[in-house]
Amino acid sequence: MTRGRRQGWFSSPRVRRVLARIVVVIGLVLGLIGLLTARWGLLFAGILIIGLGAAMGPARIRRG
């Protein structure tokens, strides 16, 4: 019998999509707060977090 390769919980596309959406929403909230209060550091951090969330999406799964 051959055993399949065990994959972690993070390799599931559904889990990655949910986590990516959560990270993007956090980035949007930070960016909106930074824009409304003119705190440019928060706006910049929000933009970076949105990019991180986009990079975490399910399209980034690499299979060997």
Side-chain angles (χ1 to χ4, degrees), residues 10-60:
F10 193 67
S11 64
S12 168
R14 183 177 182 204
V15 172
R16 288 182 68 106
R17 187 179 311 118
V18 170
L19 288 176
R21 286 180 182 170
I22 291 170
V23 170
V24 168
V25 168
I26 291 170
L28 284 173
V29 169
L30 277 177
L32 185 63
I33 291 171
L35 188 64
L36 294 176
T37 62
R39 298 195 184 267
W40 307 119
L42 281 178
L43 179 64
F44 185 70
I47 292 170
L48 287 178
I49 292 174
I50 290 171
L52 178 67
M56 287 175 55
R60 299 289 179 209

